[in-house]
Amino acid sequence: MKILRKIIYVLLLAFFIAGCANRGIGPQGGPKDTTPPKPRSSEPEMGALNFKGKRIEVTFDEYLQLDNIAQNLLMSPPQQTPPDVKVRGKKLVIQLQDTLRDSTTYTLNFGDAVCDYREKVPLHNYSFYFSTGPTIDTLEYTGRVYEAATLNPMQGIFVGVHETMEDSAFTSTTFLRVARTDSAGFFRISNMHAGTYRLYAVEEVSRDYRLSPGEALAFADEPIEPVLPPVRLTDTLATDTLLTDSLMTDTLTLDTLPEPEVKGATLMLFREEQQRLYLQRTIRDQQHRIQIYFSSTPDSLPDLRPLSDSLNYFTSYSPKRDTVTVWLTDSFSIAQDTLFIEARYRRTDSLYRLEWYTDTLRAIWRAPKLNARAKAAEERKNRNRRLELKTNARNGFELNDTLRLQCTTPIASIEPDSIHLFEKVDTVLKPMPFTLAPYDTLPMQLIFLADFKPEGKYELQIDSAAIHDIYGITHIKGSYPLQVKSLSDYSTLRVKLNPYLPKARIQVLNNKDQVLRELPADPEGAFFEYLKPDAYYLRLYLDENGDGKWTTGSWSEKRQPEPIYYFPEKIQTKSNWDFEEEWDYQAVEQLKAKPKELILAAPKKK
């Protein structure tokens, strides 16, 4: 009996091992399907004339599914109510909702919404067109949209046209025809009739196919005229060649075809300086502190009036003045759970016009729930509280940095004679001159203006009780050593423009397209000192208004953004090296000069 059990056990184990070893044998489902679905027939036919119906059916060669049809589908001319699109097996069923215009060519672009059922392979930019009149309009206009501040191609931007030359049409009337940019910023407005148009682009938020306040925009300075679309011919070697209808003759061969002329527009998308301004929130995260946050930088500081005669406080502002901090200084107010403050501040209305507004703010303090032991520890901590000081003094102090002292609460008084800065020569500390200055409106940060030398060793000493905050709290004695980096730790870069541009300003960028340094152009070259050994990129803009900063465009003034140019190569610096670049910004086409790695590093915008 035991022998029989052992035999059964061995047989079962052998079958199990064989099953594991042969899992790859058998049907594997074949290669993955990468072919998108193809349309076979439709009712009505593609390009139908005098269409008066409401329903369109397109039959494909395989079963379908839709991917985000609401975002992908774009009908031109646009309709107030988008078509209802559904899948019925291999059929795409479109039910039109709005009344169609007479004698108009309509285009439905499905983007990447139409996919096969199994693998979800999309049919890219599938379009269907028809006419409610006796002819099909066949002209088109193409181009690209770039972000004016970075020259990155913009995806998902609506580009449209108006036949009227009036500027008001952009803000008051739906586009006559519309297209949407792809990931390369490319757009094609199809099925246009002959004529002259004004061309616009808008980063739609309201989806009304016109410019609304706060939306990014672009516009062409001159009217445009649509052209015949290129026709794609394929020879027996599967070589695609583009040519216009006017070039299609029997005598042309693929060897003698001229290069097709590409007509189109380059639009620079920008956001105007106007920003929506409103009070975001009021937070009392500490019992003695209230913070008021605004959505952007106000043009005027708010007026605050506490609705309590006994409320005593100091007010400080963030560097951009978009955050107001109220520091409560009397014990009665600090002890109150709820405080009310009347605030009169500026905010924008729906048309981005600034207006004064009065509001009552409520600041609530919710004390954390503590047991007796934790509560006693907190009270003991408050009794023994000291003013906390922080500095950026350290070994490896940057030559172009500024020594700063940061406090956690506003400073009420300083005794300058109790603050000392020394230079360390061998082992001897020698006093050195410096200037102490506040950094913000109600000092919480002090800066030390001193002549720090390369490789120099220094020490900041602050005697006890040299600084008092608004609560009468002071600090213990502190010593903060620092050592400045050597000149050999840096590189320098001189950028000379050829031809020289007096209005140009040159920027040094990191690999995330962020500005690290900026200098005006100089006939002898803009000289960037104390650069860390790293990879850098260059960009310049033409400061046409002379305000020392890049200026965006303005729709009301019909002004384009200040033009930007990129240096086409990466610059790799090394320690203790001096680099010089001569830059002809016209040598490479503006929109082809930007290094690809900077475009890839940009966040995707859809």
Side-chain angles (χ1 to χ4, degrees), residues 118-150:
R118 285 192 174 186
E119 303 292 346
K120 207 175 181 179
V121 179
L123 177 59
H124 294 294
N125 287 324
Y126 171 62
S127 293
F128 187 92
Y129 61 88
F130 61 88
S131 175
T132 57
T135 59
I136 291 285
D137 295 323
T138 59
L139 303 183
E140 71 174 23
Y141 197 81
T142 62
R144 295 182 186 272
V145 178
Y146 295 86
E147 186 175 36
T150 63

PDB file of all heavy atoms in Angstrom, residues 118-150:
ATOM      1  N   ARG A 118     -10.366  45.525 -30.132  1.00  0.00           N
ATOM      2  CA  ARG A 118      -9.509  44.632 -29.335  1.00  0.00           C
ATOM      3  C   ARG A 118      -8.319  45.367 -28.722  1.00  0.00           C
ATOM      4  O   ARG A 118      -8.109  45.334 -27.509  1.00  0.00           O
ATOM      5  CB  ARG A 118      -9.004  43.483 -30.207  1.00  0.00           C
ATOM      6  CG  ARG A 118     -10.061  42.436 -30.498  1.00  0.00           C
ATOM      7  CD  ARG A 118      -9.424  41.196 -31.106  1.00  0.00           C
ATOM      8  NE  ARG A 118     -10.386  40.118 -31.270  1.00  0.00           N
ATOM      9  CZ  ARG A 118     -10.058  38.901 -31.675  1.00  0.00           C
ATOM     10  NH1 ARG A 118      -8.792  38.628 -31.972  1.00  0.00           N
ATOM     11  NH2 ARG A 118     -10.982  37.970 -31.809  1.00  0.00           N
ATOM     12  N   GLU A 119      -7.524  46.014 -29.559  1.00  0.00           N
ATOM     13  CA  GLU A 119      -6.257  46.601 -29.100  1.00  0.00           C
ATOM     14  C   GLU A 119      -6.331  48.110 -28.887  1.00  0.00           C
ATOM     15  O   GLU A 119      -5.360  48.724 -28.478  1.00  0.00           O
ATOM     16  CB  GLU A 119      -5.142  46.286 -30.106  1.00  0.00           C
ATOM     17  CG  GLU A 119      -4.936  44.819 -30.370  1.00  0.00           C
ATOM     18  CD  GLU A 119      -4.379  44.086 -29.159  1.00  0.00           C
ATOM     19  OE1 GLU A 119      -3.914  44.769 -28.223  1.00  0.00           O
ATOM     20  OE2 GLU A 119      -4.429  42.845 -29.153  1.00  0.00           O
ATOM     21  N   LYS A 120      -7.479  48.708 -29.207  1.00  0.00           N
ATOM     22  CA  LYS A 120      -7.673  50.157 -29.059  1.00  0.00           C
ATOM     23  C   LYS A 120      -6.658  50.944 -29.897  1.00  0.00           C
ATOM     24  O   LYS A 120      -6.136  51.970 -29.478  1.00  0.00           O
ATOM     25  CB  LYS A 120      -7.589  50.577 -27.590  1.00  0.00           C
ATOM     26  CG  LYS A 120      -8.384  51.823 -27.263  1.00  0.00           C
ATOM     27  CD  LYS A 120      -8.358  52.108 -25.763  1.00  0.00           C
ATOM     28  CE  LYS A 120      -9.177  53.332 -25.432  1.00  0.00           C
ATOM     29  NZ  LYS A 120      -9.186  53.614 -23.977  1.00  0.00           N
ATOM     30  N   VAL A 121      -6.383  50.456 -31.109  1.00  0.00           N
ATOM     31  CA  VAL A 121      -5.486  51.159 -32.029  1.00  0.00           C
ATOM     32  C   VAL A 121      -6.285  52.275 -32.697  1.00  0.00           C
ATOM     33  O   VAL A 121      -7.303  52.008 -33.340  1.00  0.00           O
ATOM     34  CB  VAL A 121      -4.909  50.206 -33.091  1.00  0.00           C
ATOM     35  CG1 VAL A 121      -4.003  50.957 -34.055  1.00  0.00           C
ATOM     36  CG2 VAL A 121      -4.164  49.071 -32.419  1.00  0.00           C
ATOM     37  N   PRO A 122      -5.856  53.540 -32.576  1.00  0.00           N
ATOM     38  CA  PRO A 122      -6.672  54.638 -33.116  1.00  0.00           C
ATOM     39  C   PRO A 122      -6.454  54.866 -34.597  1.00  0.00           C
ATOM     40  O   PRO A 122      -5.374  54.635 -35.146  1.00  0.00           O
ATOM     41  CB  PRO A 122      -6.182  55.845 -32.301  1.00  0.00           C
ATOM     42  CG  PRO A 122      -4.755  55.525 -31.996  1.00  0.00           C
ATOM     43  CD  PRO A 122      -4.692  54.029 -31.823  1.00  0.00           C
ATOM     44  N   LEU A 123      -7.488  55.334 -35.264  1.00  0.00           N
ATOM     45  CA  LEU A 123      -7.400  55.821 -36.631  1.00  0.00           C
ATOM     46  C   LEU A 123      -7.130  57.322 -36.527  1.00  0.00           C
ATOM     47  O   LEU A 123      -8.033  58.111 -36.255  1.00  0.00           O
ATOM     48  CB  LEU A 123      -8.700  55.545 -37.390  1.00  0.00           C
ATOM     49  CG  LEU A 123      -8.791  56.072 -38.825  1.00  0.00           C
ATOM     50  CD1 LEU A 123      -7.686  55.498 -39.687  1.00  0.00           C
ATOM     51  CD2 LEU A 123     -10.165  55.769 -39.418  1.00  0.00           C
ATOM     52  N   HIS A 124      -5.878  57.715 -36.721  1.00  0.00           N
ATOM     53  CA  HIS A 124      -5.465  59.086 -36.445  1.00  0.00           C
ATOM     54  C   HIS A 124      -6.172  60.079 -37.359  1.00  0.00           C
ATOM     55  O   HIS A 124      -6.194  59.933 -38.580  1.00  0.00           O
ATOM     56  CB  HIS A 124      -3.944  59.226 -36.612  1.00  0.00           C
ATOM     57  CG  HIS A 124      -3.156  58.442 -35.611  1.00  0.00           C
ATOM     58  ND1 HIS A 124      -3.173  58.719 -34.268  1.00  0.00           N
ATOM     59  CD2 HIS A 124      -2.345  57.364 -35.762  1.00  0.00           C
ATOM     60  CE1 HIS A 124      -2.396  57.866 -33.624  1.00  0.00           C
ATOM     61  NE2 HIS A 124      -1.883  57.026 -34.507  1.00  0.00           N
ATOM     62  N   ASN A 125      -6.718  61.115 -36.719  1.00  0.00           N
ATOM     63  CA  ASN A 125      -7.292  62.261 -37.429  1.00  0.00           C
ATOM     64  C   ASN A 125      -8.278  61.855 -38.523  1.00  0.00           C
ATOM     65  O   ASN A 125      -8.269  62.424 -39.632  1.00  0.00           O
ATOM     66  CB  ASN A 125      -6.173  63.129 -38.027  1.00  0.00           C
ATOM     67  CG  ASN A 125      -5.431  63.917 -36.958  1.00  0.00           C
ATOM     68  OD1 ASN A 125      -6.032  64.371 -35.981  1.00  0.00           O
ATOM     69  ND2 ASN A 125      -4.135  64.060 -37.130  1.00  0.00           N
ATOM     70  N   TYR A 126      -9.132  60.907 -38.220  1.00  0.00           N
ATOM     71  CA  TYR A 126     -10.155  60.527 -39.193  1.00  0.00           C
ATOM     72  C   TYR A 126     -11.163  61.674 -39.341  1.00  0.00           C
ATOM     73  O   TYR A 126     -11.641  62.236 -38.357  1.00  0.00           O
ATOM     74  CB  TYR A 126     -10.875  59.254 -38.746  1.00  0.00           C
ATOM     75  CG  TYR A 126     -12.084  58.939 -39.583  1.00  0.00           C
ATOM     76  CD1 TYR A 126     -11.959  58.687 -40.949  1.00  0.00           C
ATOM     77  CD2 TYR A 126     -13.357  58.916 -39.017  1.00  0.00           C
ATOM     78  CE1 TYR A 126     -13.070  58.414 -41.731  1.00  0.00           C
ATOM     79  CE2 TYR A 126     -14.474  58.646 -39.789  1.00  0.00           C
ATOM     80  CZ  TYR A 126     -14.326  58.405 -41.146  1.00  0.00           C
ATOM     81  OH  TYR A 126     -15.428  58.145 -41.917  1.00  0.00           O
ATOM     82  N   SER A 127     -11.475  62.016 -40.602  1.00  0.00           N
ATOM     83  CA  SER A 127     -12.410  63.103 -40.890  1.00  0.00           C
ATOM     84  C   SER A 127     -13.497  62.633 -41.855  1.00  0.00           C
ATOM     85  O   SER A 127     -13.260  61.761 -42.702  1.00  0.00           O
ATOM     86  CB  SER A 127     -11.681  64.302 -41.504  1.00  0.00           C
ATOM     87  OG  SER A 127     -10.808  64.891 -40.568  1.00  0.00           O
ATOM     88  N   PHE A 128     -14.655  63.249 -41.706  1.00  0.00           N
ATOM     89  CA  PHE A 128     -15.773  63.008 -42.622  1.00  0.00           C
ATOM     90  C   PHE A 128     -16.343  64.366 -42.999  1.00  0.00           C
ATOM     91  O   PHE A 128     -16.548  65.224 -42.134  1.00  0.00           O
ATOM     92  CB  PHE A 128     -16.851  62.146 -41.949  1.00  0.00           C
ATOM     93  CG  PHE A 128     -17.959  61.723 -42.873  1.00  0.00           C
ATOM     94  CD1 PHE A 128     -17.893  60.520 -43.549  1.00  0.00           C
ATOM     95  CD2 PHE A 128     -19.068  62.539 -43.072  1.00  0.00           C
ATOM     96  CE1 PHE A 128     -18.911  60.139 -44.417  1.00  0.00           C
ATOM     97  CE2 PHE A 128     -20.091  62.163 -43.933  1.00  0.00           C
ATOM     98  CZ  PHE A 128     -20.010  60.954 -44.609  1.00  0.00           C
ATOM     99  N   TYR A 129     -16.590  64.590 -44.291  1.00  0.00           N
ATOM    100  CA  TYR A 129     -17.107  65.888 -44.702  1.00  0.00           C
ATOM    101  C   TYR A 129     -18.275  65.704 -45.676  1.00  0.00           C
ATOM    102  O   TYR A 129     -18.400  64.704 -46.370  1.00  0.00           O
ATOM    103  CB  TYR A 129     -16.010  66.749 -45.330  1.00  0.00           C
ATOM    104  CG  TYR A 129     -15.361  66.182 -46.567  1.00  0.00           C
ATOM    105  CD1 TYR A 129     -15.882  66.427 -47.831  1.00  0.00           C
ATOM    106  CD2 TYR A 129     -14.208  65.405 -46.470  1.00  0.00           C
ATOM    107  CE1 TYR A 129     -15.293  65.911 -48.963  1.00  0.00           C
ATOM    108  CE2 TYR A 129     -13.600  64.882 -47.603  1.00  0.00           C
ATOM    109  CZ  TYR A 129     -14.148  65.139 -48.847  1.00  0.00           C
ATOM    110  OH  TYR A 129     -13.569  64.622 -49.971  1.00  0.00           O
ATOM    111  N   PHE A 130     -19.143  66.721 -45.712  1.00  0.00           N
ATOM    112  CA  PHE A 130     -20.298  66.737 -46.603  1.00  0.00           C
ATOM    113  C   PHE A 130     -20.694  68.194 -46.808  1.00  0.00           C
ATOM    114  O   PHE A 130     -20.180  69.100 -46.121  1.00  0.00           O
ATOM    115  CB  PHE A 130     -21.464  65.926 -46.023  1.00  0.00           C
ATOM    116  CG  PHE A 130     -21.952  66.456 -44.703  1.00  0.00           C
ATOM    117  CD1 PHE A 130     -22.931  67.444 -44.639  1.00  0.00           C
ATOM    118  CD2 PHE A 130     -21.420  65.981 -43.513  1.00  0.00           C
ATOM    119  CE1 PHE A 130     -23.373  67.936 -43.425  1.00  0.00           C
ATOM    120  CE2 PHE A 130     -21.859  66.468 -42.292  1.00  0.00           C
ATOM    121  CZ  PHE A 130     -22.837  67.449 -42.248  1.00  0.00           C
ATOM    122  N   SER A 131     -21.603  68.450 -47.738  1.00  0.00           N
ATOM    123  CA  SER A 131     -22.046  69.809 -48.012  1.00  0.00           C
ATOM    124  C   SER A 131     -23.562  69.867 -48.020  1.00  0.00           C
ATOM    125  O   SER A 131     -24.237  68.943 -48.478  1.00  0.00           O
ATOM    126  CB  SER A 131     -21.507  70.288 -49.375  1.00  0.00           C
ATOM    127  OG  SER A 131     -22.017  71.561 -49.695  1.00  0.00           O
ATOM    128  N   THR A 132     -24.107  70.968 -47.511  1.00  0.00           N
ATOM    129  CA  THR A 132     -25.547  71.199 -47.584  1.00  0.00           C
ATOM    130  C   THR A 132     -25.928  71.922 -48.868  1.00  0.00           C
ATOM    131  O   THR A 132     -27.103  72.256 -49.068  1.00  0.00           O
ATOM    132  CB  THR A 132     -26.015  72.031 -46.375  1.00  0.00           C
ATOM    133  OG1 THR A 132     -25.285  73.268 -46.352  1.00  0.00           O
ATOM    134  CG2 THR A 132     -25.757  71.274 -45.077  1.00  0.00           C
ATOM    135  N   GLY A 133     -24.934  72.210 -49.721  1.00  0.00           N
ATOM    136  CA  GLY A 133     -25.180  72.871 -50.999  1.00  0.00           C
ATOM    137  C   GLY A 133     -24.713  72.025 -52.165  1.00  0.00           C
ATOM    138  O   GLY A 133     -24.365  70.843 -52.013  1.00  0.00           O
ATOM    139  N   PRO A 134     -24.642  72.607 -53.361  1.00  0.00           N
ATOM    140  CA  PRO A 134     -24.306  71.831 -54.565  1.00  0.00           C
ATOM    141  C   PRO A 134     -22.819  71.609 -54.785  1.00  0.00           C
ATOM    142  O   PRO A 134     -22.440  70.923 -55.733  1.00  0.00           O
ATOM    143  CB  PRO A 134     -24.890  72.701 -55.691  1.00  0.00           C
ATOM    144  CG  PRO A 134     -24.834  74.105 -55.152  1.00  0.00           C
ATOM    145  CD  PRO A 134     -25.073  73.990 -53.679  1.00  0.00           C
ATOM    146  N   THR A 135     -21.935  72.224 -53.940  1.00  0.00           N
ATOM    147  CA  THR A 135     -20.492  72.062 -54.134  1.00  0.00           C
ATOM    148  C   THR A 135     -19.800  71.799 -52.795  1.00  0.00           C
ATOM    149  O   THR A 135     -20.326  72.109 -51.722  1.00  0.00           O
ATOM    150  CB  THR A 135     -19.872  73.331 -54.760  1.00  0.00           C
ATOM    151  OG1 THR A 135     -20.134  74.451 -53.891  1.00  0.00           O
ATOM    152  CG2 THR A 135     -20.454  73.604 -56.134  1.00  0.00           C
ATOM    153  N   ILE A 136     -18.600  71.231 -52.910  1.00  0.00           N
ATOM    154  CA  ILE A 136     -17.739  71.019 -51.746  1.00  0.00           C
ATOM    155  C   ILE A 136     -16.620  72.048 -51.783  1.00  0.00           C
ATOM    156  O   ILE A 136     -15.925  72.177 -52.806  1.00  0.00           O
ATOM    157  CB  ILE A 136     -17.137  69.603 -51.741  1.00  0.00           C
ATOM    158  CG1 ILE A 136     -18.216  68.554 -51.473  1.00  0.00           C
ATOM    159  CG2 ILE A 136     -16.013  69.482 -50.703  1.00  0.00           C
ATOM    160  CD1 ILE A 136     -18.680  68.473 -50.031  1.00  0.00           C
ATOM    161  N   ASP A 137     -16.466  72.807 -50.712  1.00  0.00           N
ATOM    162  CA  ASP A 137     -15.324  73.726 -50.616  1.00  0.00           C
ATOM    163  C   ASP A 137     -14.064  72.900 -50.355  1.00  0.00           C
ATOM    164  O   ASP A 137     -14.032  72.064 -49.445  1.00  0.00           O
ATOM    165  CB  ASP A 137     -15.536  74.723 -49.474  1.00  0.00           C
ATOM    166  CG  ASP A 137     -16.720  75.651 -49.743  1.00  0.00           C
ATOM    167  OD1 ASP A 137     -16.905  76.023 -50.907  1.00  0.00           O
ATOM    168  OD2 ASP A 137     -17.450  75.974 -48.790  1.00  0.00           O
ATOM    169  N   THR A 138     -13.003  73.161 -51.134  1.00  0.00           N
ATOM    170  CA  THR A 138     -11.826  72.279 -51.089  1.00  0.00           C
ATOM    171  C   THR A 138     -10.543  72.977 -50.663  1.00  0.00           C
ATOM    172  O   THR A 138      -9.494  72.336 -50.611  1.00  0.00           O
ATOM    173  CB  THR A 138     -11.602  71.654 -52.478  1.00  0.00           C
ATOM    174  OG1 THR A 138     -11.419  72.707 -53.436  1.00  0.00           O
ATOM    175  CG2 THR A 138     -12.776  70.786 -52.873  1.00  0.00           C
ATOM    176  N   LEU A 139     -10.598  74.261 -50.365  1.00  0.00           N
ATOM    177  CA  LEU A 139      -9.370  74.954 -49.984  1.00  0.00           C
ATOM    178  C   LEU A 139      -9.054  74.722 -48.512  1.00  0.00           C
ATOM    179  O   LEU A 139      -9.923  74.309 -47.726  1.00  0.00           O
ATOM    180  CB  LEU A 139      -9.499  76.453 -50.267  1.00  0.00           C
ATOM    181  CG  LEU A 139      -9.821  76.852 -51.709  1.00  0.00           C
ATOM    182  CD1 LEU A 139      -9.847  78.363 -51.842  1.00  0.00           C
ATOM    183  CD2 LEU A 139      -8.836  76.231 -52.680  1.00  0.00           C
ATOM    184  N   GLU A 140      -7.814  74.986 -48.140  1.00  0.00           N
ATOM    185  CA  GLU A 140      -7.407  74.788 -46.753  1.00  0.00           C
ATOM    186  C   GLU A 140      -6.327  75.794 -46.380  1.00  0.00           C
ATOM    187  O   GLU A 140      -5.732  76.454 -47.247  1.00  0.00           O
ATOM    188  CB  GLU A 140      -6.891  73.373 -46.525  1.00  0.00           C
ATOM    189  CG  GLU A 140      -5.543  73.094 -47.167  1.00  0.00           C
ATOM    190  CD  GLU A 140      -4.976  71.730 -46.811  1.00  0.00           C
ATOM    191  OE1 GLU A 140      -5.753  70.846 -46.444  1.00  0.00           O
ATOM    192  OE2 GLU A 140      -3.739  71.565 -46.915  1.00  0.00           O
ATOM    193  N   TYR A 141      -6.085  75.879 -45.077  1.00  0.00           N
ATOM    194  CA  TYR A 141      -4.989  76.716 -44.582  1.00  0.00           C
ATOM    195  C   TYR A 141      -4.337  75.987 -43.413  1.00  0.00           C
ATOM    196  O   TYR A 141      -5.027  75.440 -42.543  1.00  0.00           O
ATOM    197  CB  TYR A 141      -5.485  78.089 -44.123  1.00  0.00           C
ATOM    198  CG  TYR A 141      -4.365  79.093 -44.006  1.00  0.00           C
ATOM    199  CD1 TYR A 141      -3.882  79.750 -45.123  1.00  0.00           C
ATOM    200  CD2 TYR A 141      -3.776  79.365 -42.775  1.00  0.00           C
ATOM    201  CE1 TYR A 141      -2.844  80.658 -45.043  1.00  0.00           C
ATOM    202  CE2 TYR A 141      -2.735  80.267 -42.678  1.00  0.00           C
ATOM    203  CZ  TYR A 141      -2.271  80.912 -43.807  1.00  0.00           C
ATOM    204  OH  TYR A 141      -1.237  81.795 -43.718  1.00  0.00           O
ATOM    205  N   THR A 142      -3.004  75.951 -43.427  1.00  0.00           N
ATOM    206  CA  THR A 142      -2.266  75.209 -42.405  1.00  0.00           C
ATOM    207  C   THR A 142      -1.276  76.124 -41.702  1.00  0.00           C
ATOM    208  O   THR A 142      -0.993  77.242 -42.145  1.00  0.00           O
ATOM    209  CB  THR A 142      -1.505  74.025 -43.023  1.00  0.00           C
ATOM    210  OG1 THR A 142      -0.553  74.545 -43.962  1.00  0.00           O
ATOM    211  CG2 THR A 142      -2.437  73.060 -43.717  1.00  0.00           C
ATOM    212  N   GLY A 143      -0.728  75.637 -40.622  1.00  0.00           N
ATOM    213  CA  GLY A 143       0.286  76.387 -39.885  1.00  0.00           C
ATOM    214  C   GLY A 143       0.623  75.686 -38.589  1.00  0.00           C
ATOM    215  O   GLY A 143       0.243  74.534 -38.361  1.00  0.00           O
ATOM    216  N   ARG A 144       1.331  76.399 -37.740  1.00  0.00           N
ATOM    217  CA  ARG A 144       1.725  75.853 -36.443  1.00  0.00           C
ATOM    218  C   ARG A 144       1.556  76.912 -35.362  1.00  0.00           C
ATOM    219  O   ARG A 144       1.664  78.111 -35.643  1.00  0.00           O
ATOM    220  CB  ARG A 144       3.173  75.351 -36.465  1.00  0.00           C
ATOM    221  CG  ARG A 144       3.401  74.166 -37.383  1.00  0.00           C
ATOM    222  CD  ARG A 144       4.831  73.665 -37.337  1.00  0.00           C
ATOM    223  NE  ARG A 144       5.048  72.621 -38.327  1.00  0.00           N
ATOM    224  CZ  ARG A 144       4.837  71.320 -38.107  1.00  0.00           C
ATOM    225  NH1 ARG A 144       4.424  70.920 -36.921  1.00  0.00           N
ATOM    226  NH2 ARG A 144       5.064  70.420 -39.050  1.00  0.00           N
ATOM    227  N   VAL A 145       1.330  76.434 -34.147  1.00  0.00           N
ATOM    228  CA  VAL A 145       1.174  77.318 -32.997  1.00  0.00           C
ATOM    229  C   VAL A 145       2.263  76.984 -31.986  1.00  0.00           C
ATOM    230  O   VAL A 145       2.447  75.813 -31.628  1.00  0.00           O
ATOM    231  CB  VAL A 145      -0.219  77.176 -32.345  1.00  0.00           C
ATOM    232  CG1 VAL A 145      -0.337  78.086 -31.120  1.00  0.00           C
ATOM    233  CG2 VAL A 145      -1.312  77.505 -33.355  1.00  0.00           C
ATOM    234  N   TYR A 146       2.975  78.021 -31.545  1.00  0.00           N
ATOM    235  CA  TYR A 146       4.045  77.862 -30.558  1.00  0.00           C
ATOM    236  C   TYR A 146       3.766  78.761 -29.353  1.00  0.00           C
ATOM    237  O   TYR A 146       3.114  79.807 -29.482  1.00  0.00           O
ATOM    238  CB  TYR A 146       5.403  78.241 -31.155  1.00  0.00           C
ATOM    239  CG  TYR A 146       5.864  77.341 -32.269  1.00  0.00           C
ATOM    240  CD1 TYR A 146       5.470  77.581 -33.583  1.00  0.00           C
ATOM    241  CD2 TYR A 146       6.682  76.250 -32.025  1.00  0.00           C
ATOM    242  CE1 TYR A 146       5.887  76.757 -34.612  1.00  0.00           C
ATOM    243  CE2 TYR A 146       7.108  75.421 -33.046  1.00  0.00           C
ATOM    244  CZ  TYR A 146       6.708  75.676 -34.335  1.00  0.00           C
ATOM    245  OH  TYR A 146       7.115  74.851 -35.350  1.00  0.00           O
ATOM    246  N   GLU A 147       4.275  78.351 -28.217  1.00  0.00           N
ATOM    247  CA  GLU A 147       4.200  79.197 -27.032  1.00  0.00           C
ATOM    248  C   GLU A 147       5.235  80.309 -27.181  1.00  0.00           C
ATOM    249  O   GLU A 147       6.427  80.039 -27.367  1.00  0.00           O
ATOM    250  CB  GLU A 147       4.469  78.379 -25.769  1.00  0.00           C
ATOM    251  CG  GLU A 147       4.254  79.169 -24.492  1.00  0.00           C
ATOM    252  CD  GLU A 147       4.420  78.303 -23.257  1.00  0.00           C
ATOM    253  OE1 GLU A 147       5.283  77.408 -23.265  1.00  0.00           O
ATOM    254  OE2 GLU A 147       3.683  78.516 -22.282  1.00  0.00           O
ATOM    255  N   ALA A 148       4.794  81.544 -27.091  1.00  0.00           N
ATOM    256  CA  ALA A 148       5.676  82.674 -27.371  1.00  0.00           C
ATOM    257  C   ALA A 148       6.845  82.756 -26.401  1.00  0.00           C
ATOM    258  O   ALA A 148       7.941  83.164 -26.772  1.00  0.00           O
ATOM    259  CB  ALA A 148       4.878  83.979 -27.331  1.00  0.00           C
ATOM    260  N   ALA A 149       6.641  82.360 -25.144  1.00  0.00           N
ATOM    261  CA  ALA A 149       7.680  82.520 -24.125  1.00  0.00           C
ATOM    262  C   ALA A 149       8.748  81.447 -24.193  1.00  0.00           C
ATOM    263  O   ALA A 149       9.852  81.634 -23.670  1.00  0.00           O
ATOM    264  CB  ALA A 149       7.050  82.516 -22.724  1.00  0.00           C
ATOM    265  N   THR A 150       8.447  80.285 -24.836  1.00  0.00           N
ATOM    266  CA  THR A 150       9.394  79.168 -24.841  1.00  0.00           C
ATOM    267  C   THR A 150       9.634  78.578 -26.228  1.00  0.00           C
ATOM    268  O   THR A 150      10.535  77.738 -26.380  1.00  0.00           O
ATOM    269  CB  THR A 150       8.894  78.038 -23.928  1.00  0.00           C
ATOM    270  OG1 THR A 150       7.656  77.523 -24.450  1.00  0.00           O
ATOM    271  CG2 THR A 150       8.676  78.536 -22.499  1.00  0.00           C
TER     272      THR A 150
END
